[in-house]
């Protein structure tokens, strides 16, 4: 069975075939660096990280490039507010990006081009567009003439006259007067006094946003790439404009597969820096009762990557519970492997691998892939309970070893890794505290105060302690 992907360009599922057998060139439109990354960015970065990890696991050699937009009106505005420079603002948030994504276990890209490092490529591309009649200079700016590109709208399905000028929020009003057509967009903008500027044949200025990605893709990956990824908020106009710029020059498709992640919404609206309705990754992970970063990955991967998800505390809490189950499964080998005499020479679980692969081959169905992981973790959980309560694991030890190894391997494809338990136990309930609460509960039951007994059971449950009532009034417990 081939891997099939939903291609925004064709609006259908397509079997995936890279241009060059065994090799994949992939580009993801990264962040504009004027603030900390929010949960929406976490989603986009985790989704494409998983896609990349899966493609590598499936045997492809993947070259993954992600840009930083470090020239932009919004960065400039922030630097003015801070009486700083565009460069300093960008540098700070690029650094923060790396810190936040490392916490979420997002693998680093092979390359991180920046607009400020791509000026030669950008100017070359604008020059070629001009030579071919797709671009025109106007009072120090250069614009792309949308009407000249017959295929304009093929990705988004939007026709030129439906286009709303300024839909990206990046085209300012005064520019309109300089355009031949309101649908045209800026490739180069002249600098106003005091603004950062680069020399060019059209005068001192800075590149527009869309042209940087066309230039970076061409410089780093070539004229046609396999996968171009980004959030679906970028389909129009950003990706439409990238196609118009690149394909007008090369005459070749810019990307064979256009993949788009759905948005993280807040009350039905896109979480976004410019709307100000965002929770940063660090606010979320540093809050009291913060979720485990792996639970945040689970929150993201439980949804279909193309659908919107609402960011709610309940959603994160549910993911935290799910993660607790997987985490226990992932820790099983460290806790019991020696005791069970594991020798490290078992074959993985072929069935589980086949199911996982079928799920991921179906347009990266990560929620079905997680179900395979839960299946394995549940079996290990059963074995753990038997070990705790009966002193024997039930299944043959080689089966458990194989389940555990498979679980660790497949979880790794989703970027889910468990820390050793010792790091966490420090701040969880001590055994003495648990024993004291169980004694209180036993007392409450004796006096028929069942409400109090239930309250204690729930309190322990909330702290990850499961009680098991045995005949004769004995209560056992284990951590879930
Ligand atoms: N809420 C979101 N959910 C999922 N992906 C998002 C979300 N917001 C942005 N992205 C994706 O993250 C990447 C970087 O986006 P960008 O830096 O433009 O963030 P932004 O919050 O939309 O900023 P701005 O509001 O300034 O446009 C893009 O691929 C974009 O599609
Ligand atoms: Zn882009």
């Amino acid at each position: 069975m081939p891997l099939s992907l939903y291609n925004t360009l064709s609006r259908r599922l397509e079997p995936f075939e890279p241009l060059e057998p065994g090799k994949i060139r992939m580009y993801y439109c990264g962040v504009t660096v004027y603030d900390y990354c929010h949960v929406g960015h976490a989603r986009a970065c985790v989704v494409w990280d998983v896609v990349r990890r899966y493609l590598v696991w499936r045997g492809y050699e993947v070259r993954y490039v992600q840009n930083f937009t470090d020239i932009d009106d919004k960065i400039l505005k922030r630097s003015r507010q801070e009486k700083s420079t565009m460069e300093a603002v960008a540098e700070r948030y690029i650094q923060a990006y790396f810190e936040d994504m490392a916490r979420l276990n997002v693998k680093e890209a092979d390359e991180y081009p920046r607009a400020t490092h791509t000026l030669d490529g950008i100017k070359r591309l604008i020059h070629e567009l001009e030579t071919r009649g797709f671009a025109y200079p106007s009072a120090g700016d250069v614009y792309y003439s949308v009407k000249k590109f017959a295929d304009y709208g093929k990705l988004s399905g939007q026709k030129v006259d439906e286009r709303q000028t300024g839909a990206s929020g990046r085209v300012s009003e005064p520019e309109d007067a300089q355009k031949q057509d309101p649908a045209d967009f800026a490739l180069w903008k002249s600098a106003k006094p005091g603004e950062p500027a680069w020399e060019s044949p059209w005068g001192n200025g800075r590149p527009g946003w869309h042209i940087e990605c066309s230039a970076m893709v061409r410089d780093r990956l070539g004229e046609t790439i396999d996968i171009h990824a980004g959030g679906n908020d970028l389909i129009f106009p950003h990706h439409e404009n990238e196609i118009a710029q690149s394909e007008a020059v090369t005459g070749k498709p810019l990307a064979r597969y256009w993949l788009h992640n759905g948005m993280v919404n807040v009350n039905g609206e896109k979480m976004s820096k410019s709307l100000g309705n965002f929770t940063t990754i660090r606010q979320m992970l540093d809050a009291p009762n913060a979720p485990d970063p792996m639970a945040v990955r689970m929150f993201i991967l439980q949804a279909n990557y193309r659908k919107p998800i609402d960011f709610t505390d309940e959603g994160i809490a549910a993911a935290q519970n799910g993660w607790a189950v997987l985490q226990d499964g992932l820790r099983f080998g460290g806790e019991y492997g020696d005791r069970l005499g594991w020798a490290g020479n078992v074959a993985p679980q072929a069935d589980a691998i086949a199911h996982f692969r079928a799920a991921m081959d179906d347009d990266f169905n990560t929620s079905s892939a997680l179900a395979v992981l839960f299946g394995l973790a549940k079996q290990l959980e059963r074995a753990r309970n038997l070990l705790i309560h009966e002193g024997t694991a039930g299944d043959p030890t080689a089966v458990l070893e194989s389940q555990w190894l498979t679980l660790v391997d497949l979880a790794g494809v989703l970027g889910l890794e468990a820390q050793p338990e010792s790091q966490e136990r420090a701040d969880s309930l001590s055994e003495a505290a648990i024993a004291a609460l169980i004694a209180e509960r036993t007392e409450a039951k004796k006096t028929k105060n069942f409400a109090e007994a239930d309250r204690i059971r729930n309190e322990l449950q909330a702290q990850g302690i499961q009680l098991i009532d045995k005949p004769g009034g004995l209560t056992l417990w284990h951590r879930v």
Side-chain angles (χ1 to χ4, degrees):
M1 275 279 287
L3 165 62
S4 70
L5 307 182
Y6 182 84
N7 191 346
T8 308
L9 190 60
S10 63
R11 295 164 188 75
R12 61 182 180 83
L13 280 175
E14 287 181 31
F16 176 73
E17 250 178 71
L19 201 54
E20 204 181 322
K23 297 199 170 154
I24 295 175
R25 284 174 282 184
M26 176 168 172
Y27 181 86
Y28 160 59
C29 290
V31 286
T32 304
V33 277
Y34 67 99
D35 210 330
Y36 292 111
C37 283
H38 55 61
V39 183
H41 301 129
R43 180 184 198 186
C45 292
V46 165
V47 162
W48 304 119
D49 177 55
V50 166
V51 165
R52 176 205 192 181
R53 285 172 185 260
Y54 180 64
L55 295 171
V56 170
W57 182 78
R58 228 173 164 294
Y60 291 105
E61 191 184 304
V62 182
R63 180 141 200 82
Y64 183 55
V65 176
Q66 172 181 340
N67 74 315
F68 286 121
T69 297
D70 63 349
I71 304 177
D72 189 88
D73 289 345
K74 294 172 199 169
I75 313 176
L76 195 57
K77 190 170 153 207
R78 173 61 65 101
S79 68
R80 283 200 187 109
Q81 286 164 348
E82 292 183 0
K83 301 202 174 8
S84 166
T85 61
M86 195 153 83
E87 205 182 347
V89 171
E91 203 54 54
R92 180 187 332 137
Y93 293 113
I94 287 174
Q95 200 48 46
Y97 168 91
F98 284 116
E99 290 164 12
D100 295 342
M101 292 304 161
R103 291 175 79 180
L104 292 171
N105 204 22
V106 171
K107 261 188 187 329
E108 288 195 7
D110 294 305
E111 286 185 72
Y112 291 97
R114 303 181 188 187
T116 51
H117 300 169
T118 316
L119 279 137
D120 285 348
I122 291 172
K123 286 187 266 185
R124 209 177 320 121
L125 205 52
I126 298 176
H127 176 69
E128 286 177 68
L129 283 168
E130 216 182 353
T131 316
R132 286 164 199 264
F134 288 93
Y136 58 91
S138 174
D141 295 349
V142 183
Y143 293 96
Y144 187 98
S145 181
V146 165
K147 272 207 291 265
K148 298 265 169 59
F149 186 66
D151 271 349
Y152 196 83
K154 70 175 174 180
L155 181 73
S156 61
Q158 295 215 37
K159 301 207 182 67
V160 173
D161 45 19
E162 287 173 4
R163 188 181 191 276
Q164 290 169 4
T165 308
S168 67
R170 300 189 191 228
V171 183
S172 56
E173 302 267 317
E175 285 177 330
D176 282 355
Q178 280 154 236
K179 297 179 186 176
Q180 291 172 359
D181 187 304
D184 295 349
F185 59 89
L187 299 167
W188 189 265
K189 302 177 197 183
S190 61
K192 297 180 189 71
E195 285 183 352
W198 288 263
E199 281 180 6
S200 85
W202 313 281
N204 285 356
R206 58 199 151 95
W209 170 40
H210 313 297
I211 195 71
E212 76 176 69
C213 287
S214 284
M216 288 172 188
V217 171
R218 195 182 189 200
D219 282 6
R220 310 291 173 133
L221 293 168
E223 293 187 334
T224 299
I225 62 170
D226 297 293
I227 296 176
H228 194 310
N232 64 13
D233 56 328
L234 301 186
I235 297 174
F236 185 86
H238 183 56
H239 290 163
E240 199 69 75
N241 291 353
E242 277 189 44
I243 290 176
Q245 295 162 155
S246 299
E247 299 189 5
V249 166
T250 66
K252 296 177 190 158
L254 169 58
R256 289 159 62 80
Y257 301 87
W258 285 86
L259 309 188
H260 291 100
N261 66 272
M263 293 294 102
V264 169
N265 289 337
V266 182
N267 300 324
E269 197 171 36
K270 175 194 165 189
M271 180 183 286
S272 129
K273 297 201 289 279
S274 44
L275 291 174
N277 60 349
F278 60 92
T279 302
T280 66
I281 296 170
R282 46 188 65 196
Q283 277 166 347
M284 176 176 55
L285 294 181
D286 295 335
N289 296 321
D292 189 304
M294 294 297 109
V296 177
R297 278 188 89 103
M298 296 266 303
F299 171 72
I300 292 162
L301 298 175
Q302 274 165 352
N304 176 302
Y305 81 92
R306 295 196 282 119
K307 303 265 160 63
I309 36 180
D310 259 315
F311 175 64
T312 58
D313 289 344
E314 293 76 24
I316 294 282
Q320 182 70 46
N321 289 338
W323 168 241
V325 174
L326 278 191
Q327 178 172 249
D328 272 354
L330 291 166
R331 285 173 173 168
F332 188 91
E335 286 173 52
Y336 295 102
D338 284 348
R339 184 165 142 193
L340 295 171
W342 287 0
N345 53 2
V346 296
Q349 299 272 296
D351 255 22
I353 290 181
H355 284 128
F356 179 86
R357 186 172 158 143
M360 292 297 281
D361 275 357
D362 179 16
D363 197 29
F364 309 115
N365 187 338
T366 48
S367 66
S368 297
L370 279 171
V372 176
L373 268 56
F374 278 117
L376 292 164
K378 288 267 160 65
Q379 300 187 57
L380 295 168
E381 187 182 30
R382 188 176 146 269
R384 166 187 274 103
N385 285 337
L386 285 170
L387 280 162
I388 292 172
H389 303 304
E390 321 276 341
T392 160
D395 286 330
T397 167
V399 172
L400 294 176
E401 184 174 5
S402 159
Q403 286 167 344
W404 179 72
L405 283 173
T406 309
L407 176 63
V408 171
D409 178 37
L410 300 182
V413 179
L414 303 183
L416 296 169
E417 287 166 21
Q419 298 301 317
E421 200 174 5
S422 51
Q423 289 188 6
E424 276 200 352
R425 281 277 155 88
D427 44 42
S428 65
L429 269 187
S430 71
E431 297 198 4
I434 295 166
L437 282 165
I438 289 177
E440 270 179 44
R441 179 167 170 269
T442 309
E443 222 19 68
K445 283 209 295 192
K446 270 191 198 146
T447 57
K448 301 217 177 320
N449 187 351
F450 295 114
E452 174 64 3
D454 284 349
R455 191 197 61 75
I456 296 174
R457 172 191 281 279
N458 293 341
E459 183 187 327
L460 284 163
Q461 177 108 34
Q463 306 223 40
I465 309 297
Q466 181 79 47
L467 299 186
I468 308 155
D469 289 323
K470 291 278 191 189
L474 178 67
T475 301
L476 300 173
W477 64 270
H478 65 98
R479 293 183 202 266
V480 291

